[in-house]
Amino acid sequence: MLANFFIGIREGLEAALIVSILVAYLVKLDRKKDVTKIFIGLAAAIGAAVLVGLILSFIDSEVSDRTEVILSGTFSLIAVGFITWMIFWMSAQSRNMGSSLRGKIDTALDAKPWSLAAVAFFAVMREGVETALFLWTASRSTGSDTNPALGAGLGLIAAAALGVLIYRGALKLNLSVFFKWTGAFLILVTAGITAYGIGELQEINLLPFLTDRSYDLTGLIPDGSLLDTALRGTIAFNSNPTWLQSITWVAYFLVVGGLFANQYRTKKTK
């Protein structure tokens, strides 16, 4: 649940910030009549994200068990790539997001009438589609008993509320710090999703090596127990992974975590 909450609030806040920056800039330019086009683009982007979610749900329910496992493992690893890119991209762009979006609006205002809707659509659609894919894979890796839908819903609601408060000037949020700490947490979650995707592919012998169990904590943390559910819901914990899953988890966490920490060390020295 907590893993999906953080995915929901982080991705949702990105989308909320994009919309608030676009709307605020149009108001500043005395172009309030064009704000409607921003929300039309937003609605279309949300529709695209919902469509992706429905497609993933259809795939989940209609394909054979083997195909489902293949797709689940493959989509999990694809999501890992997207999440990792998103973590580093937001870390680098959090300070410059506003100026970049305002530049796109200036260009759109000089172009066709509905270019503003297109700016909002493409800016938010990426966040929406990423969110649908992230939440689907995170839900599968943490398990349905961790209430992933509730966590995601609460995260998106919190993100919308934060976006409104930021737009109205009632809340000052240090975006660099926010994305730093949520990024660090998501690296931990994504390491678990990586191991989950590897495990799915091992289950159908697509990765038929290092399949012995590296450790087994089910005696201390029984499957389905409150602690097991809490750990899976927060960091996609696996109490009984294979050696390949463990190696992959450690490698991802050390490499990506090290690069992420180095990015912030570099910023401090500039």
Side-chain angles (χ1 to χ4, degrees):
M1 178 176 175
L2 187 59
N4 278 32
F5 174 82
F6 271 96
I7 292 173
I9 193 171
R10 184 186 172 100
E11 290 292 300
L13 184 57
E14 285 183 41
L17 288 172
I18 288 170
V19 172
S20 63
I21 289 170
L22 294 175
V23 171
Y25 191 51
L26 283 176
V27 172
K28 182 179 179 181
L29 294 177
D30 197 24
R31 298 289 295 264
K32 292 182 180 180
K33 60 183 178 59
D34 291 317
V35 169
T36 302
K37 296 172 184 175
I38 297 296
F39 286 102
I40 290 174
L42 171 64
I46 293 173
V50 170
L51 179 61
V52 170
L54 292 175
I55 292 172
L56 291 173
S57 298
F58 175 80
I59 291 172
D60 200 23
S61 61
E62 297 297 327
V63 299
S64 66
D65 290 343
R66 179 179 174 80
T67 302
E68 179 185 344
V69 173
I70 292 174
L71 292 176
S72 179
T74 302
F75 283 158
S76 293
L77 296 179
I78 291 173
V80 165
F82 276 124
I83 295 173
T84 304
W85 174 83
M86 175 268 292
I87 289 170
F88 285 98
W89 184 86
M90 269 317 298
S91 173
Q93 297 297 319
S94 57
R95 294 181 178 180
N96 302 318
M97 181 187 291
S99 59
S100 174
L101 289 171
R102 286 189 287 270
K104 290 180 180 179
I105 282 190
D106 289 336
T107 301
L109 288 173
D110 294 330
K112 296 180 180 178
W114 287 98
S115 295
L116 284 174
V119 169
F121 173 76
F122 287 110
V124 176
M125 183 185 68
R126 180 180 62 82
E127 308 298 336
V129 172
E130 283 179 359
T131 302
L133 181 59
F134 297 169
L135 294 178
W136 186 80
T137 54
S139 298
R140 295 189 65 84
S141 61
T142 58
S144 59
D145 58 330
T146 62
N147 296 314
L150 176 60
L154 291 175
L156 291 171
I157 291 171
L162 288 173
V164 171
L165 291 174
I166 291 172
Y167 173 75
R168 294 184 177 277
L171 176 66
K172 299 295 184 182
L173 184 64
N174 188 321
L175 296 181
S176 181
V177 172
F178 174 83
F179 288 119
K180 173 183 177 180
W181 289 108
T182 56
F185 178 78
L186 283 180
I187 287 173
L188 187 61
V189 173
T190 308
I193 295 176
T194 304
Y196 167 80
I198 293 296
E200 290 288 272
L201 298 180
Q202 283 189 304
E203 184 178 325
I204 53 175
N205 293 320
L206 287 181
L207 296 174
F209 51 90
L210 296 176
T211 56
D212 292 335
R213 300 295 165 179
S214 57
Y215 61 83
D216 188 350
L217 298 179
T218 53
L220 296 174
I221 309 173
D223 290 341
S225 65
L226 180 62
L227 180 58
D228 174 62
T229 302
L231 289 173
R232 281 188 290 110
T234 51
I235 58 174
F237 175 77
N238 185 347
S239 60
N240 189 26
T242 67
W243 274 107
L244 184 58
Q245 286 179 291
S246 295
I247 292 170
T248 302
W249 191 101
V250 171
Y252 179 90
F253 183 76
L254 291 179
V255 172
V256 176
L259 291 172
F260 186 72
N262 184 65
Q263 187 178 52
Y264 279 93
R265 282 197 297 268
T266 302
K267 284 182 178 180
K268 286 183 178 181
T269 60
K270 290 182 178 180

